[in-house]
Each structure stands twice: as C-alpha cells, then as structure tokens.
Amino acid sequence: MTTFTVSHRHKSREALFTCTDKVGTGATTHLAGAAISKRSTIIDVAGLAGVSIKTVSRALNDAPHVNADTRRRVKEAAAALDYHPNIAAQSLIARRSYLLGLTYERPSPSYVVELQNGALARLENSRYRLVVLPFRDVANRPEELGSLLLRAGLDGVILAPPACDQHELLSMLDRQKLPYARITPHHEMDRGIVTAMDEVEAGRAIATHLLELGHRRIGIVMGDPSHAASAARMEGYRLAFADFDAEPIDDLVVSGDFTYDVGYSAAAELLSNSPRPTAILAQNDDMAVAAMAAVRDAGLSVPGDVSVAGFDNSEVSRTTWPQLTTVRQPVNEMAWDAVDRLIATLDANDSQREAPPLRGDHPYELIVRASTAPPL
Amino acid sequence: MTTFTVSHRHKSREALFTCTDKVGTGATTHLAGAAISKRSTIIDVAGLAGVSIKTVSRALNDAPHVNADTRRRVKEAAAALDYHPNIAAQSLIARRSYLLGLTYERPSPSYVVELQNGALARLENSRYRLVVLPFRDVANRPEELGSLLLRAGLDGVILAPPACDQHELLSMLDRQKLPYARITPHHEMDRGIVTAMDEVEAGRAIATHLLELGHRRIGIVMGDPSHAASAARMEGYRLAFADFDAEPIDDLVVSGDFTYDVGYSAAAELLSNSPRPTAILAQNDDMAVAAMAAVRDAGLSVPGDVSVAGFDNSEVSRTTWPQLTTVRQPVNEMAWDAVDRLIATLDANDSQREAPPLRGDHPYELIVRASTAPPL
DNA sequence: TTGTAAGCGTTATCAT
DNA sequence: ATGATAACGCTTACAA
C-alpha cells in the first residue's frame, strides 16, 4: 500500500491561494448584493398596478374574489418589477420556514448521497427546502446537536443513525415540539415517525447465504457500536448460525466502525488467525471492500481463498472487482418515506387533517454477486 | 458481471410498506407540532426577567451597554423558558436569510460529499446554513435553475460544474443581484467569485506520468462534455504529448460522461482495438475504476497488461485494488474557499468593508499508486 | 371585489 | 443603562 505523492504547479501561475484582485471590472456587478439594492416589495407592485397591497397578495396567491382583469394587471406589474415575495416575511406570519433538516454522522459518502437524494426526490416540486446538518459524535453530545437543530429554524428534521436513537436528543425535540422522522431499526423505542428496514432479517439473510455455501469459519467485522444496526445485524447472523446448528466463533468477531481504514485492519487481523477464516462478513460495503484489499495484500484471492460479503449495496459494491455480494438497504426509499411522512404530519397540524401512520417498513434484498463462493 | 437478486422477507413481519398506526400512544406527543404550540418569544423573556424587550435583545446578542447583572438575569430567563430567537423575524429585519445554496449536477457521490463537506466546514460556527439544490441537465434549462435559485430565498449560492459556466444562469443571477461563487476552471469568463484548480496543468501532469513510464498507445476516456474540465484536461494531455513529440491517437479517444457504466463501455471499446492500448487514462476515478473492471473482464491484469489512471483522488481511488494512480483535485478546499469568499462578500456589503478578491487558485497533486507501471 | 388596519417576532431609533 | 415605538414585508381579519 505504498503511495508516492508529488506536488506540482506550473511555474507560470501564481503561488498557492494567490488572489488576483479584479475588483473594478465589470465582473463586480454582482457585488452590489441583495442586501443593499432594495428588491421590490408588495407595495411597489401595488403602486404600479394601482391597487392595494391586499389585492396584490390575493392576486399573486391565486386567492378567490379577485377580478380577472385586476389579477392580470397585478401579475404584469409583478413581472415588470421582477417581484419575488420575501420569504422571511411569509415565514414569520405563517410560522413556517419551509425548511427541513437532514442530520447524519459521517458515514460513507454513498450512504449520505443516497439519503440526501431520497429526501430531495420527495421535496421536488414542494415548497420545502433541505438543509444539511452533519454532526459528529452525537453519542457524546446529544444536547449540542439538539440546540443546533432548534436554532436552525426548521419545520422538521430527518434523523439518520445514530442520532435517531439518542433519547436525550429526542426529548429535547419533543420538549420544543420540533417534529422529526427517524430512520432507525430500533423497533423497541417508539417515538415519533419511524422508517426502517428489518436489519435483523437482513443480517440473517446474508449470513445464511455464506452458511449455505458451506462456510463455517466466518470472520465478522462489526460496525460502529453506536449504530443500532450493528447489534441488529449481528443478531441476525446469530439466528442464521442457529439455523445451521452452529454459532459465530468468538475469536473471529472483531470490532469496526464502518470505515475503510478500520475495516482493513480488522480484516488483516482476522486473516492472521490459523486456520484462517474461509469467509469474511463485514457489516457494511466499505469495510467489505477493505477486507478484499486485505485478502489480496495477504497474497490470497477473492473468492478463491476467502469469500467476502458486505452490507448496504452501496455504489462501491458494484464498482469493485469482483463485484460484492451484499444486502441492499433501501436508503433512498427510506429517506423519501421519512420526508413524505414528516410533511404529511406538518400539513396535518395545519389543516386539522389526519396525521399519517407513524411507522413504515422497507424490504431488504439479498444480492449475490461474485465475491462469494463455496470454501475450498 | 452476472448478478443474482433474491428478495426475502421474514414471514412473521408485515407486508411491504405496512404501516402500523400507533397514533394515540404517548409517541404522538411530538405531533402537537411547532405550528400549533407557541414557542416562547422575546416578550416572554422580557416579562420573566422584568426588563424591556430591547434589553433582552441587547443582552442576548452580547451587545454593549448592558449591566452585567441584567445580562445574567436575562440569560437565565431565556434558558428557563427554552427561548430560541425566531429566525424568520431576524431575517426579515436583517434582510438576510442566512441561507446559502449549493448547486451541483449528479456527479459521483464522493465529489458531492467532498464539495458539501468543504462548504459545511466553513459554515460551522457561522450563522449561515446550507441548502442543497441539485439540478439535472442545467445545460438545457438554465433559466429553470435560475428561477429555482431566485425563489429559494438565498443570500448567495455556490455553483459547481457545470452550472458555474452557464452564461444565461449567471446573467439571471446578476440581474437579480443574487451573489454567487463559482467553482470552475474556466479562467476566460470572469464573472463573480471564482475558485479553481488548474485543470490543464493537472491533466498535463497525469499524462506526463504515463508518457514517462513509456506509454504511447494511451486510450483516453473523456468526461461529460458539458463540464469545462473535460476539455481542459484533454488540453493538458495534448500539451504533455507534445512535450514528448507525440500526440493522442484519435482512435483511442472515446467519449464518456464521468459515470461508471459509460466508463465501462468506453474502456471495453478501447480494449477492442488492436494493437490494444497499453494504458487507459480516464478523466475521473469512477471511469478509471470501471476501466479496471473492463480490463479484468477481458482477462487482462492491471497494471501488468494495461495501466489505468484516473482523476480526482476520490475515495474510490484509494479503496480500489490495486489503488489508483490519479490527480488530487482539492474539492474540499475549493468549496471551503468559495463559501469563505462568498460570505466575505456578503459581509462587505453590509458593513461597507472591502470586498474580498474574486479569484482563488488551488493546487493539484499527482498521486502515483499501484495501477500504473511501464508497458511490457 | 377591494381596501384598511392589525399583527407576526425581531432589531434599530431615539429618547430618557 | 434602559425603554417606548417604529420599522421589516407579508397575510389575515374585518370593513366598505
């Protein structure tokens, strides 16, 4: 794993971070900035259209009881003035910011992006916007995240693991009545909107796959213990072993944290056992890919000498070679669903409509690819 | 590349998307919702502390001319009431939403996450929040993105490629005086704040590396043509070839779009040439990893039979095996810098302070790893 | 159908 | 050092 790093710069260019000051050219136009130049307000539109501001409001919001001709005149005036309603003023009166927060903690990029894309997909063509609020080490400072969320002026928040399972955080949000949707496998603790996949059964499915292939000396790389999924998946593995009248070998269960680097060390440690494991089951794809690298760096092949299986069906599981056997976690759909139900809740509050069901379950999917094979 | 997909669900659980309605239990508390329950306001705090609202405002904002004891009392009252200022009201009066937008177009997850992390790193401990606004196919509908941005109530926006180079979009933003920071290699078009890396020289560096190893039949997989970087990197390749009194072989230059799938097909096409290329130079890491898969699926090895080089130093370049030779693009730093300069511009507008320099350059870095070697 | 006036929760202006 | 009062830009009563 040696890496050579060479830093180059073309001589004819400025030094690092050199800043060429171009102020004074036409390029500066935008600097006038929104803060200085007064954007036109509803009053300007009213003046130009020759009506009252209330009529402008009605006309622009397509409210009833407005003369068709008046409405047209108002809309023309608004267009002529490049009028855009002031969102802050609207939020102030509506007691709504139309802002949803998404909180997550440094998991793999593909997880974050899927999460985000799922949430954004639901938000498309809605008034809501998405504010991203990553937060490190929630387990040790839940109240800090709480006050961050409370001060962010959100209408609601999506909590991904592991923040979703922090009692203290949830209590803060409850106390301040900030609605939230949790993406969590923790079936026991029923608080707020919950969207989940059955992690236990998913874990059981992937372990069963290895057992069916004939593996018994299976090395297991655990995920971050602060994520409920880690224990749930392990529980699933145990159920699978039990189905085969066997159980995980203690020496072959090592801790990890869902990252590639730690996954690599963990896998290397597993491979140092003798006899060595015939398969490695990692609790996510990043660590599984690291395990594949460790196997090869040990002069062995995948799946010839050692089978490797992951979890998540993240992008890397498809782009690695050989492609990885894994379990698909429908992160995208779960995020979509969480947002959907959160918005339904907010709307229900407004219009006295019925609140949506609090729980949604999503199916996992075992995906068998080329990284697993029967043991020699 | 065969894939078996098996869908499982444990029999004892509800059907897909089953929703267990738990409304009515204690879990419903949060449903009271922010919209209904009145959060405490500055007036409540003033009442409890026995002072005027103005004093509360001063005390809480750490403004001068407040008795130390009064300040303490006010802060205690605020804490006792779980008081959090209403951001909408603050925004209304400050004519600031404290919202920055980040626009990007479906590039690889690692790029998005790096971009976002860089921006968020700068935003930490600032009042600003980040709204993510991905947008597909900007090239064909710049005005739609423009109106989306304009209606989002942003104080400023970060434009990643390829939106950063859409004249029409920039003109709309200029017209409405919405400040923006562009992350773009387009040195020619000087509009607004620009943060960039020298793509031409970076391209030259990686191509030079292959040429120095002795490769001449180099297959090139281009990036998405709507990104200015694609042409810039190619220009760099040409300069490098010229340095070696050579030039790219037309038949060995194929189009791509920065995605794995298209990268795979493109690489497969390159390998069908005879004599086949001794190296493949992809314009990003995702396509380079795809090329490695294509090489292996053709029964060849990397770098034994074919060397492969990428671009970006994205996470996948480190987690693939063998690790990929690439060029580091400081996406994180560029995003940080873009936000930094954007905020400085906004603050300058407010306080009549001097506007920041409009341009910032960032260094690339050639990273030689195990995927490249001399030709046989 | 349209307009007037009263707020929404802050911060800024001027007093005191 | 502190406070009454007026903005900020909009929507919602309530009149007309």
Short mmCIF file of all heavy atoms in Angstrom, two decimals, chain B residues 295-340:
data_model
loop_
_atom_site.label_atom_id
_atom_site.label_comp_id
_atom_site.label_asym_id
_atom_site.label_seq_id
_atom_site.Cartn_x
_atom_site.Cartn_y
_atom_site.Cartn_z
N VAL B 295 -10.82 -4.17 -18.02
CA VAL B 295 -9.55 -4.84 -18.31
C VAL B 295 -9.59 -6.27 -17.77
O VAL B 295 -9.24 -7.23 -18.47
CB VAL B 295 -8.36 -4.07 -17.67
CG1 VAL B 295 -7.08 -4.91 -17.74
CG2 VAL B 295 -8.16 -2.73 -18.39
N ARG B 296 -10.05 -6.41 -16.54
CA ARG B 296 -10.10 -7.75 -15.94
C ARG B 296 -11.13 -8.64 -16.60
O ARG B 296 -10.92 -9.84 -16.77
CB ARG B 296 -10.41 -7.62 -14.46
CG ARG B 296 -9.19 -7.17 -13.70
CD ARG B 296 -9.62 -6.59 -12.40
NE ARG B 296 -8.50 -6.41 -11.51
CZ ARG B 296 -8.55 -5.62 -10.46
NH1 ARG B 296 -9.66 -4.99 -10.17
NH2 ARG B 296 -7.49 -5.49 -9.70
N ASP B 297 -12.27 -8.04 -16.94
CA ASP B 297 -13.30 -8.86 -17.59
C ASP B 297 -12.81 -9.32 -18.96
O ASP B 297 -13.32 -10.28 -19.53
CB ASP B 297 -14.61 -8.06 -17.72
CG ASP B 297 -15.35 -7.98 -16.37
OD1 ASP B 297 -15.07 -8.83 -15.49
OD2 ASP B 297 -16.18 -7.07 -16.20
N ALA B 298 -11.79 -8.63 -19.50
CA ALA B 298 -11.21 -9.04 -20.78
C ALA B 298 -10.09 -10.06 -20.53
O ALA B 298 -9.36 -10.44 -21.44
CB ALA B 298 -10.66 -7.82 -21.52
N GLY B 299 -9.96 -10.48 -19.28
CA GLY B 299 -8.94 -11.49 -18.97
C GLY B 299 -7.54 -10.92 -18.82
O GLY B 299 -6.56 -11.66 -18.80
N LEU B 300 -7.45 -9.63 -18.69
CA LEU B 300 -6.13 -8.99 -18.56
C LEU B 300 -5.93 -8.48 -17.14
O LEU B 300 -6.85 -8.47 -16.33
CB LEU B 300 -6.04 -7.82 -19.55
CG LEU B 300 -6.30 -8.19 -21.01
CD1 LEU B 300 -6.47 -6.95 -21.87
CD2 LEU B 300 -5.15 -9.06 -21.53
N SER B 301 -4.71 -8.04 -16.84
CA SER B 301 -4.45 -7.56 -15.49
C SER B 301 -3.99 -6.10 -15.47
O SER B 301 -3.46 -5.58 -16.45
CB SER B 301 -3.40 -8.45 -14.81
OG SER B 301 -2.12 -8.12 -15.30
N VAL B 302 -4.20 -5.48 -14.31
CA VAL B 302 -3.80 -4.09 -14.08
C VAL B 302 -2.76 -4.10 -12.97
O VAL B 302 -3.00 -4.68 -11.91
CB VAL B 302 -5.01 -3.24 -13.61
CG1 VAL B 302 -4.55 -1.82 -13.29
CG2 VAL B 302 -6.12 -3.24 -14.64
N PRO B 303 -1.58 -3.53 -13.15
CA PRO B 303 -1.14 -2.80 -14.33
C PRO B 303 -0.33 -3.67 -15.30
O PRO B 303 0.22 -3.14 -16.27
CB PRO B 303 -0.24 -1.72 -13.73
CG PRO B 303 0.38 -2.41 -12.54
CD PRO B 303 -0.63 -3.39 -12.04
N GLY B 304 -0.25 -4.98 -15.02
CA GLY B 304 0.56 -5.86 -15.87
C GLY B 304 0.34 -5.67 -17.36
O GLY B 304 1.26 -5.29 -18.09
N ASP B 305 -0.91 -5.88 -17.78
CA ASP B 305 -1.19 -5.75 -19.22
C ASP B 305 -1.57 -4.32 -19.61
O ASP B 305 -1.19 -3.84 -20.67
CB ASP B 305 -2.33 -6.70 -19.59
CG ASP B 305 -1.97 -8.15 -19.35
OD1 ASP B 305 -0.93 -8.59 -19.86
OD2 ASP B 305 -2.71 -8.86 -18.63
N VAL B 306 -2.34 -3.71 -18.76
CA VAL B 306 -2.80 -2.35 -19.06
C VAL B 306 -2.70 -1.49 -17.80
O VAL B 306 -3.19 -1.87 -16.74
CB VAL B 306 -4.28 -2.36 -19.54
CG1 VAL B 306 -4.74 -0.95 -19.90
CG2 VAL B 306 -4.47 -3.30 -20.73
N SER B 307 -2.08 -0.34 -17.93
CA SER B 307 -2.05 0.62 -16.82
C SER B 307 -3.33 1.43 -16.86
O SER B 307 -3.90 1.65 -17.93
CB SER B 307 -0.85 1.57 -16.95
OG SER B 307 0.35 0.92 -16.60
N VAL B 308 -3.79 1.87 -15.70
CA VAL B 308 -5.00 2.69 -15.65
C VAL B 308 -4.76 3.88 -14.73
O VAL B 308 -4.21 3.73 -13.64
CB VAL B 308 -6.22 1.88 -15.13
CG1 VAL B 308 -7.42 2.78 -14.96
CG2 VAL B 308 -6.55 0.72 -16.06
N ALA B 309 -5.14 5.05 -15.19
CA ALA B 309 -5.00 6.26 -14.37
C ALA B 309 -6.32 7.02 -14.38
O ALA B 309 -7.06 6.98 -15.36
CB ALA B 309 -3.88 7.14 -14.91
N GLY B 310 -6.60 7.70 -13.31
CA GLY B 310 -7.87 8.41 -13.19
C GLY B 310 -7.69 9.90 -12.98
O GLY B 310 -6.74 10.51 -13.47
N PHE B 311 -8.58 10.49 -12.21
CA PHE B 311 -8.54 11.92 -11.95
C PHE B 311 -9.49 12.20 -10.80
O PHE B 311 -10.62 11.69 -10.79
CB PHE B 311 -9.02 12.70 -13.18
CG PHE B 311 -8.45 14.10 -13.27
CD1 PHE B 311 -7.46 14.41 -14.19
CD2 PHE B 311 -8.90 15.08 -12.40
CE1 PHE B 311 -6.93 15.69 -14.25
CE2 PHE B 311 -8.36 16.37 -12.46
CZ PHE B 311 -7.37 16.67 -13.39
N ASP B 312 -9.04 12.95 -9.83
CA ASP B 312 -9.85 13.45 -8.70
C ASP B 312 -9.34 13.01 -7.32
O ASP B 312 -9.59 13.69 -6.35
CB ASP B 312 -11.32 13.01 -8.77
CG ASP B 312 -12.13 13.86 -9.71
OD1 ASP B 312 -11.61 14.88 -10.18
OD2 ASP B 312 -13.30 13.49 -9.99
N ASN B 313 -8.69 11.83 -7.28
CA ASN B 313 -8.35 11.28 -5.98
C ASN B 313 -9.58 11.16 -5.10
O ASN B 313 -9.58 11.53 -3.93
CB ASN B 313 -7.29 12.12 -5.25
CG ASN B 313 -6.76 11.42 -4.01
OD1 ASN B 313 -6.62 10.20 -4.00
ND2 ASN B 313 -6.48 12.17 -2.97
N SER B 314 -10.65 10.66 -5.68
CA SER B 314 -11.85 10.45 -4.88
C SER B 314 -11.66 9.20 -4.04
O SER B 314 -10.73 8.43 -4.26
CB SER B 314 -13.07 10.29 -5.80
OG SER B 314 -12.89 9.21 -6.65
N GLU B 315 -12.52 9.01 -3.09
CA GLU B 315 -12.37 7.90 -2.15
C GLU B 315 -12.16 6.57 -2.85
O GLU B 315 -11.34 5.74 -2.44
CB GLU B 315 -13.60 7.83 -1.25
CG GLU B 315 -13.47 6.71 -0.23
CD GLU B 315 -14.32 6.96 1.01
OE1 GLU B 315 -14.38 8.11 1.45
OE2 GLU B 315 -14.90 5.98 1.53
N VAL B 316 -12.87 6.36 -3.94
CA VAL B 316 -12.78 5.07 -4.63
C VAL B 316 -11.37 4.79 -5.16
O VAL B 316 -10.96 3.64 -5.28
CB VAL B 316 -13.82 5.03 -5.78
CG1 VAL B 316 -13.42 5.97 -6.90
CG2 VAL B 316 -13.98 3.62 -6.30
N SER B 317 -10.62 5.84 -5.40
CA SER B 317 -9.26 5.62 -5.92
C SER B 317 -8.36 4.99 -4.85
O SER B 317 -7.38 4.33 -5.15
CB SER B 317 -8.65 6.94 -6.41
OG SER B 317 -8.33 7.77 -5.31
N ARG B 318 -8.71 5.18 -3.59
CA ARG B 318 -7.92 4.62 -2.51
C ARG B 318 -8.43 3.25 -2.10
O ARG B 318 -7.71 2.41 -1.61
CB ARG B 318 -8.00 5.53 -1.27
CG ARG B 318 -6.94 6.63 -1.24
CD ARG B 318 -7.33 7.70 -0.23
NE ARG B 318 -8.31 8.62 -0.81
CZ ARG B 318 -9.34 9.13 -0.16
NH1 ARG B 318 -9.57 8.82 1.09
NH2 ARG B 318 -10.17 9.96 -0.78
N THR B 319 -9.74 3.03 -2.28
CA THR B 319 -10.32 1.78 -1.80
C THR B 319 -10.37 0.70 -2.87
O THR B 319 -10.78 -0.41 -2.59
CB THR B 319 -11.74 2.02 -1.26
OG1 THR B 319 -12.56 2.51 -2.31
CG2 THR B 319 -11.71 3.04 -0.13
N THR B 320 -9.97 1.03 -4.07
CA THR B 320 -9.97 0.02 -5.12
C THR B 320 -8.65 -0.75 -5.02
O THR B 320 -7.72 -0.32 -4.34
CB THR B 320 -10.11 0.67 -6.50
OG1 THR B 320 -10.45 -0.32 -7.45
CG2 THR B 320 -8.83 1.36 -6.92
N TRP B 321 -8.60 -1.91 -5.65
CA TRP B 321 -7.36 -2.70 -5.59
C TRP B 321 -6.97 -3.15 -6.98
O TRP B 321 -7.76 -3.76 -7.65
CB TRP B 321 -7.55 -3.92 -4.70
CG TRP B 321 -6.25 -4.51 -4.24
CD1 TRP B 321 -5.59 -4.24 -3.08
CD2 TRP B 321 -5.44 -5.48 -4.93
NE1 TRP B 321 -4.43 -4.95 -3.01
CE2 TRP B 321 -4.32 -5.72 -4.12
CE3 TRP B 321 -5.57 -6.15 -6.16
CZ2 TRP B 321 -3.31 -6.62 -4.51
CZ3 TRP B 321 -4.58 -7.03 -6.55
CH2 TRP B 321 -3.45 -7.27 -5.72
N PRO B 322 -5.79 -2.85 -7.48
CA PRO B 322 -4.80 -2.03 -6.79
C PRO B 322 -5.25 -0.58 -6.73
O PRO B 322 -6.09 -0.16 -7.51
CB PRO B 322 -3.56 -2.18 -7.69
CG PRO B 322 -4.13 -2.39 -9.05
CD PRO B 322 -5.35 -3.26 -8.83
N GLN B 323 -4.63 0.15 -5.81
CA GLN B 323 -5.01 1.56 -5.68
C GLN B 323 -4.65 2.32 -6.95
O GLN B 323 -3.70 1.98 -7.65
CB GLN B 323 -4.31 2.17 -4.47
CG GLN B 323 -4.84 1.58 -3.16
CD GLN B 323 -4.37 2.34 -1.95
OE1 GLN B 323 -3.22 2.80 -1.91
NE2 GLN B 323 -5.22 2.50 -0.96
N LEU B 324 -5.44 3.33 -7.20
CA LEU B 324 -5.39 4.02 -8.48
C LEU B 324 -4.42 5.22 -8.51
O LEU B 324 -4.39 6.03 -7.59
CB LEU B 324 -6.80 4.53 -8.78
CG LEU B 324 -7.22 4.91 -10.18
CD1 LEU B 324 -7.12 3.72 -11.11
CD2 LEU B 324 -8.65 5.42 -10.13
N THR B 325 -3.67 5.30 -9.58
CA THR B 325 -2.85 6.49 -9.82
C THR B 325 -3.80 7.57 -10.31
O THR B 325 -4.65 7.32 -11.16
CB THR B 325 -1.79 6.20 -10.89
OG1 THR B 325 -0.81 5.32 -10.35
CG2 THR B 325 -1.12 7.50 -11.34
N THR B 326 -3.69 8.75 -9.74
CA THR B 326 -4.67 9.79 -10.07
C THR B 326 -4.10 11.18 -9.80
O THR B 326 -2.92 11.33 -9.47
CB THR B 326 -5.96 9.56 -9.23
OG1 THR B 326 -6.98 10.42 -9.67
CG2 THR B 326 -5.69 9.80 -7.75
N VAL B 327 -4.91 12.19 -9.95
CA VAL B 327 -4.51 13.56 -9.62
C VAL B 327 -5.50 14.06 -8.58
O VAL B 327 -6.70 13.96 -8.77
CB VAL B 327 -4.60 14.51 -10.83
CG1 VAL B 327 -4.21 15.92 -10.41
CG2 VAL B 327 -3.71 14.03 -11.94
N ARG B 328 -4.98 14.55 -7.51
CA ARG B 328 -5.89 15.06 -6.48
C ARG B 328 -6.48 16.39 -6.89
O ARG B 328 -5.77 17.32 -7.27
CB ARG B 328 -5.16 15.25 -5.16
CG ARG B 328 -6.10 15.67 -4.03
CD ARG B 328 -5.40 15.64 -2.69
NE ARG B 328 -5.16 16.98 -2.21
CZ ARG B 328 -6.04 17.68 -1.49
NH1 ARG B 328 -7.21 17.15 -1.21
NH2 ARG B 328 -5.77 18.89 -1.07
N GLN B 329 -7.80 16.47 -6.81
CA GLN B 329 -8.48 17.75 -7.04
C GLN B 329 -8.97 18.20 -5.66
O GLN B 329 -9.73 17.48 -5.02
CB GLN B 329 -9.66 17.56 -7.99
CG GLN B 329 -10.37 18.86 -8.27
CD GLN B 329 -11.54 18.70 -9.23
OE1 GLN B 329 -12.03 17.60 -9.45
NE2 GLN B 329 -12.01 19.80 -9.80
N PRO B 330 -8.55 19.35 -5.22
CA PRO B 330 -8.89 19.78 -3.85
C PRO B 330 -10.31 20.31 -3.74
O PRO B 330 -10.53 21.48 -3.42
CB PRO B 330 -7.85 20.87 -3.57
CG PRO B 330 -7.53 21.44 -4.91
CD PRO B 330 -7.69 20.32 -5.91
N VAL B 331 -11.26 19.44 -3.99
CA VAL B 331 -12.67 19.83 -4.00
C VAL B 331 -13.08 20.44 -2.67
O VAL B 331 -13.73 21.49 -2.60
CB VAL B 331 -13.57 18.62 -4.29
CG1 VAL B 331 -15.03 19.02 -4.28
CG2 VAL B 331 -13.20 18.01 -5.62
N ASN B 332 -12.68 19.76 -1.62
CA ASN B 332 -12.99 20.21 -0.28
C ASN B 332 -12.51 21.65 -0.05
O ASN B 332 -13.29 22.52 0.34
CB ASN B 332 -12.27 19.26 0.68
CG ASN B 332 -12.93 19.19 2.02
OD1 ASN B 332 -12.94 20.19 2.74
ND2 ASN B 332 -13.50 18.04 2.35
N GLU B 333 -11.26 21.87 -0.33
CA GLU B 333 -10.68 23.21 -0.12
C GLU B 333 -11.34 24.25 -1.03
O GLU B 333 -11.56 25.39 -0.62
CB GLU B 333 -9.18 23.21 -0.41
CG GLU B 333 -8.35 22.45 0.61
CD GLU B 333 -8.22 20.97 0.27
OE1 GLU B 333 -9.15 20.41 -0.36
OE2 GLU B 333 -7.18 20.38 0.62
N MET B 334 -11.63 23.86 -2.25
CA MET B 334 -12.24 24.82 -3.17
C MET B 334 -13.62 25.24 -2.67
O MET B 334 -13.99 26.41 -2.73
CB MET B 334 -12.32 24.22 -4.57
CG MET B 334 -10.96 24.03 -5.21
SD MET B 334 -11.01 23.70 -7.00
CE MET B 334 -11.84 22.13 -7.02
N ALA B 335 -14.37 24.27 -2.18
CA ALA B 335 -15.71 24.58 -1.68
C ALA B 335 -15.59 25.48 -0.44
O ALA B 335 -16.34 26.45 -0.30
CB ALA B 335 -16.45 23.29 -1.33
N TRP B 336 -14.65 25.14 0.42
CA TRP B 336 -14.43 25.95 1.62
C TRP B 336 -14.13 27.39 1.21
O TRP B 336 -14.73 28.35 1.71
CB TRP B 336 -13.24 25.38 2.40
CG TRP B 336 -13.08 25.90 3.79
CD1 TRP B 336 -13.51 25.31 4.94
CD2 TRP B 336 -12.44 27.12 4.18
NE1 TRP B 336 -13.18 26.09 6.01
CE2 TRP B 336 -12.53 27.20 5.59
CE3 TRP B 336 -11.82 28.16 3.48
CZ2 TRP B 336 -12.01 28.27 6.31
CZ3 TRP B 336 -11.30 29.23 4.20
CH2 TRP B 336 -11.40 29.27 5.59
N ASP B 337 -13.23 27.50 0.27
CA ASP B 337 -12.80 28.81 -0.19
C ASP B 337 -13.94 29.58 -0.86
O ASP B 337 -14.10 30.78 -0.64
CB ASP B 337 -11.65 28.58 -1.18
CG ASP B 337 -11.01 29.88 -1.60
OD1 ASP B 337 -10.97 30.81 -0.79
OD2 ASP B 337 -10.56 29.94 -2.76
N ALA B 338 -14.73 28.88 -1.63
CA ALA B 338 -15.85 29.54 -2.31
C ALA B 338 -16.81 30.12 -1.28
O ALA B 338 -17.24 31.27 -1.38
CB ALA B 338 -16.57 28.54 -3.22
N VAL B 339 -17.12 29.33 -0.28
CA VAL B 339 -18.03 29.80 0.76
C VAL B 339 -17.40 30.94 1.53
O VAL B 339 -18.04 31.96 1.80
CB VAL B 339 -18.39 28.66 1.73
CG1 VAL B 339 -19.13 29.20 2.94
CG2 VAL B 339 -19.21 27.61 1.03
N ASP B 340 -16.15 30.78 1.84
CA ASP B 340 -15.44 31.82 2.60
C ASP B 340 -15.52 33.16 1.88
O ASP B 340 -15.84 34.19 2.46
CB ASP B 340 -13.97 31.41 2.76
CG ASP B 340 -13.22 32.35 3.68
OD1 ASP B 340 -13.69 32.54 4.81
OD2 ASP B 340 -12.19 32.90 3.25
#
